[in-house]
Amino acid sequence: MTGVVKTFGQTRALNGLNLQVETGEVHGFLGPNGAGKSTTIRVLLGLLRADSGEVSLLGGDPWNDAVELHRRLAYVPGDVELWPNLTGGEAIDLMGRLRGGLDQARRKELIERFDLDPTKKGRTYSKGNRQKVAIISALASDVELLILDEPTAGLDPLMETVFQDFILQAKAEGKTVLLSSHILAQVEKLCDKISIIRLGEVVQSGTLTEMRHLTRTTVEATTTQPANSLAELPGIHDFEHDDGRVRFAVDGDQLDGALRGLTQLGVRSLISHPPTLEELMLRHYGDELEASNGGRHAASGAEQN
Amino acid sequence: MTTTTAPPAAPEQAVRRGGNSLTGTATMIRFMLRRDRVRIPVWILALTFAAVSTLANFEQTYSTVADRQSAVDLLELPAMVAMVGPNYAADEYTFGAMLGHQMFIFMAAVFALMSVLLFVRHTRAEEEAGRSELIRSSVLGRHAQTAAALLVVGGTNVVTGLLTALAISGSSAEGVTTSGAFIFGMGLALVGVTFMAIAAVTVQVTEYSRGASGMALAVLGAAYAVRAVGDVGDNGLSWLSPLYWGFTTRSFSSSERAWPLLLLVAVAAIMIVVAVYLSTRRDVGAGLRPPRLGSPSAPDSLSSPLGLAMRLQRANVLGWAVGLALFGLMYGSILDGADEMFEQISALQDMVADVEGAGLVESWVATVMSFLAMIVSIQAILAVHRLRVEESRGRAEPVLATAVSRRDWMASHLTVAFVGSAIVMLAAGIGFGATGAIVTEDGALFADMLLAATAQIPAIWVAVGLAAALFGVLPRLGSVAWIIPIYGLVIVYMGGVLGLDPATKNYSPFGHVPELPAADFEVLPLLILLAVAVVLTLVGLAGFRRRDLETK
């Protein structure tokens, strides 16, 4: 996609978006809610028509060649709606057949692994189970490309792991995956490349290693010796020190050095957590985000920093 | 053997604990009244006001004897008999008798509706939401919630019935007696109580509150339909309907009687006993009927957009076809009396198509067929609107993300709308023609009427086309399609009575259908209607290909 613009009335949902996904890669499509992830995907699926810009999908035009392209891909929406009177099993089969058929053995395996009762009617499924129906149908189809729009919303952590197994399996089979998410950790586990979207534009794109400088890990520790010296190390930010307790953030590519420094001080407890997408977005685009997302977000962000 | 002896033990236990199974009923009653402190008074006042204001309205509208006589004439029409019931006081049609005759069935149906909705709200809806579980875990008897709901809803009915009776008997309108007012009011209350008791049974059967009220309201619909058919045929069938028991007290007439109300009391009592018995045989939150599971895999028919559209709409088409076939059967069954009827009632002659050289029966058939077609166009438009429902609920999106083109997806539902509405129209025609041919002993009439029904199909398809064009091009204005049935019913069907210029019919597709079997068959107008339907459909398909899909 190059320079894609899509407006809805006054709102400019996509503002000259560029996105490139190579064959065979698992591409993470990261952005906060309302950034334009779903709109981008719907343009790729030919459900929405771009106002301007160029879009090419599997070598075709998503608007004009929709049917041919859709035979080669499977899509899982972020908010799956099922027909109240159709059972989950019927919905799985229907969607698979409309794509051009699905692998029965794989369907059986997926239903077992995801622990779905396919005999229940659509109206009785919870959100997580509706999500499973769409995921199973997509993964059981023999396609080249999987387009997944926040597919695991509503799934419990156990099922999230099952999902990750199947995505890695799809990757091993050479399938291309576009995975949209607002959870950085999920994307980090699965993706070769990441594009970050914000306000309808892709602001960062690259491999995880290339993005390391963007991720900053927060470390909290209690040490036997004073940790003042750590503040001098490269890549350390927001250093706080108080009576044997130390708290700082460290750039992803400087983490090793910081930990080496820390271990020499006699570590008695250690907590570290990776940055959330929200922190990342706030750190890099804080001021603009404040303007666009309104006061509440900005206020909480100010406290964190 | 051990497994078969286990279940009978449960009721035994319930009997032993019967002494305290009502513990907490008073608290539950207070709780329900607190929850409905606005809802119940509104029902009571609205229903009482409806009765009193109707009575006052009768006094104004029918101030002279001649006015009342013309009302009597009009109410002899089978359609009116089907709607309000037979006139039991034609010779003494006082304002009181008008109220008892014209308003009882209608008001009783509203009492029944109120009872079902209130009862389900306080019982199954609470269980479904999981709140009963919380309440039942406290000090509360097994039957307390049901007993409290029965007392609250039953009490609401009795209070409303008594207030209605008091308010009416306070009126000085001619023919209003105190005994009549109380029989009328208590009749309404007891119909309400009977349907409450029916709801008490249905809430035991299903675990969904919508299913429970749906079942009880289906009984109400059946009671109304049975009574309508029985009253028109005057064959005693009406005695199967609880609505009729209240009606046939003949309130405010000289042949007034109260004993049919005992039937209502008896049935209500039996239903309550059945409900209590059933409630001891199920768990809290569960229904007697387990939630139905379906097939774990899709049948071969569910492999295409058309298969999906058929699956989604088949119950709808079937329901409409059966309903309109029954409607047709009813109209057909009175065809032999049509000649007589027309001679007596001048008001009716304005309604029917005025075709030179045609008999009144043929004109009547043409008018009814056109009326049925307008009703079918409602089904047709609803079938097209299914597209919009699928789109806005987000169920079109995953389908259109598969190898299904926009044209195929839209065409699948349109195919169902075209074929389905034709089936429904033919069902109406077959029903109408079947009884019509039997009662007039004229076998040839059946074929004529079937042709007349077929001739209406292109006009119905124009409605499909308009709805499709709107969906494709101006999806937000989809409701504009309702202009076709509304204009048809008001201007084309009622135009004669309203004294409108016949030229106004030309703006409706129904105004161009040859008035078979009264007039000759003409193919040209039908071809033009078909062409209009086709063009509108193509516009819709082209529009949908061009626009964005509306997403959630």
Side-chain angles (χ1 to χ4, degrees), chain B residues 523-545:
Chain B
V523 78
L524 185 64
L526 296 181
L527 288 178
I528 293 172
L529 288 172
L530 277 178
V532 172
V534 167
V535 168
L536 285 169
T537 304
L538 293 176
V539 167
L541 286 167
F544 184 57
R545 269 172 59 96

Side-chain angles (χ1 to χ4, degrees), chain A residues 120-243:
Chain A
K120 282 192 177 175
K121 301 268 182 181
R123 75 163 78 80
T124 61
Y125 281 125
S126 64
K127 168 150 174 54
N129 280 326
R130 292 203 301 273
Q131 218 64 37
K132 285 184 198 171
V133 167
I135 292 173
I136 292 170
S137 178
L139 292 175
S141 302
D142 182 24
V143 291
E144 300 162 39
L145 170 65
L146 292 167
I147 297 183
L148 314 169
D149 189 0
E150 305 201 8
T152 59
L155 288 194
D156 59 49
L158 195 66
M159 290 304 148
E160 172 100 34
T161 320
V162 176
F163 170 78
Q164 285 167 2
D165 288 350
F166 279 106
I167 294 301
L168 292 173
Q169 196 180 321
K171 181 178 166 184
E173 288 165 11
K175 291 179 183 177
T176 309
V177 181
L178 176 61
L179 174 67
S180 116
S181 177
H182 64 271
I183 306 162
L184 191 59
Q186 181 184 52
V187 170
E188 276 186 305
K189 277 191 196 134
L190 294 172
C191 299
D192 309 311
K193 276 181 91 175
I194 295 178
S195 291
I196 296 179
I197 179 174
R198 189 185 142 270
L199 299 177
E201 286 176 69
V202 169
V203 288
Q204 287 283 343
S205 195
T207 63
L208 266 178
T209 337
E210 286 166 6
M211 306 280 264
R212 270 298 165 222
H213 70 281
L214 284 176
T215 64
R216 203 182 267 181
T217 307
T218 305
V219 176
E220 286 176 60
T222 318
T223 52
T224 45
Q225 295 163 40
N228 299 14
S229 57
L230 287 177
E232 313 299 322
L233 291 173
I236 300 282
H237 307 268
D238 307 329
F239 189 84
E240 287 171 37
H241 183 243
D242 175 34
D243 192 25

Side-chain angles (χ1 to χ4, degrees), chain B residues 305-307 309-310 313 317 379-380 383-384 387 407-423 461 464 468 537 541:
Chain B
L306 184 60
M310 280 167 57
Q313 301 219 31
V317 171
Q379 184 271 338
V384 180
L387 285 164
R407 189 197 60 201
D408 287 358
W409 179 73
M410 183 169 167
S412 67
H413 281 277
L414 292 183
T415 306
V416 171
F418 281 120
V419 177
S421 60
I423 290 173
W461 284 358
V464 173
T537 304
L541 286 167

